[in-house]
Amino acid sequence: AKRANIIFTLLDAARLKLRNQALCDRAWVRRIEFETPWGRGAALLSDASGVEVNAYRDNFAILVQVEPTNQFRSIRAKPDSKADLSKIYQKVTEMEPEADWYLHQSKRLLLNGSGTAPLGVKSKLKLQELIDLVKKRRAN
């Protein structure tokens, strides 16, 4: 019985992983592509988690995502890119001083809400507004 429980737990985990990858792949075909100072950018309106794997695999420097269900927003730069999202962070905090934006110390991750920090004031910026901010920033 213990072995069966372990096997079923592993099968459930594999099913969830495959389901999420299918969500990522479906979302990825609907991406919006644009140019940034750091290279190609992609943007998605999707609840799929882990879509940055698709973006980095396809050599996009930046991924902008709005998750419609929980209203989280993120701008993620490829870890080995020269991107610095500090100026975008300054701009979004000027535009929405009440929203809880977080800039990671790497300067390559900008978040408004996440699974680990779901509370806080959500941004009202739309996907296209975030794309426009990323397109306008100058590389450092």
Side-chain angles (χ1 to χ4, degrees), residues 1-8:
K2 285 184 181 181
R3 286 184 186 164
N5 284 340
I6 291 169
I7 290 170
F8 287 128

Side-chain angles (χ1 to χ4, degrees), residues 3-137:
R3 286 184 186 164
N5 284 340
I6 291 169
I7 290 170
F8 287 128
T9 300
L10 292 171
L11 287 172
D12 279 346
R15 179 186 59 82
L16 289 172
K17 181 163 178 45
L18 290 171
R19 181 181 172 276
N20 189 64
Q21 186 57 51
L23 286 173
C24 288
D25 292 343
R26 276 197 298 270
W28 189 239
V29 298
R30 297 187 318 268
R31 70 187 177 269
I32 299 166
E33 295 185 18
F34 54 94
E35 289 299 320
T36 79
W38 307 287
R40 291 186 316 151
L44 295 169
L45 185 62
S46 172
D47 289 320
S49 64
V51 181
E52 64 274 7
V53 173
N54 294 49
Y56 304 156
R57 176 200 64 210
D58 292 348
N59 209 29
F60 283 83
I62 300 283
L63 176 66
V64 178
Q65 184 175 1
V66 173
E67 298 177 31
T69 301
N70 52 34
Q71 292 300 303
F72 297 160
R73 283 149 174 75
S74 64
I75 301 173
R76 300 170 187 269
K78 194 172 181 180
D80 62 355
S81 75
K82 302 262 192 254
D84 180 343
L85 303 178
S86 299
K87 290 181 183 178
I88 298 168
Y89 173 71
Q90 291 171 352
K91 187 65 178 172
V92 295
T93 56
E94 287 171 14
M95 294 169 72
E96 295 183 310
E98 71 285 351
D100 291 321
W101 283 95
Y102 168 74
L103 178 64
H104 186 267
Q105 64 187 12
S106 69
K107 310 291 191 243
R108 292 184 185 96
L109 177 63
L110 181 57
L111 301 174
N112 175 255
S114 70
T116 56
L119 302 176
V121 178
K122 300 291 192 301
S123 170
K124 291 181 175 61
L125 294 174
K126 303 211 180 315
L127 184 64
Q128 188 59 53
E129 292 173 303
L130 294 172
I131 292 169
D132 291 342
L133 285 171
V134 173
K135 287 166 66 171
K136 289 179 182 176
R137 294 300 107 201

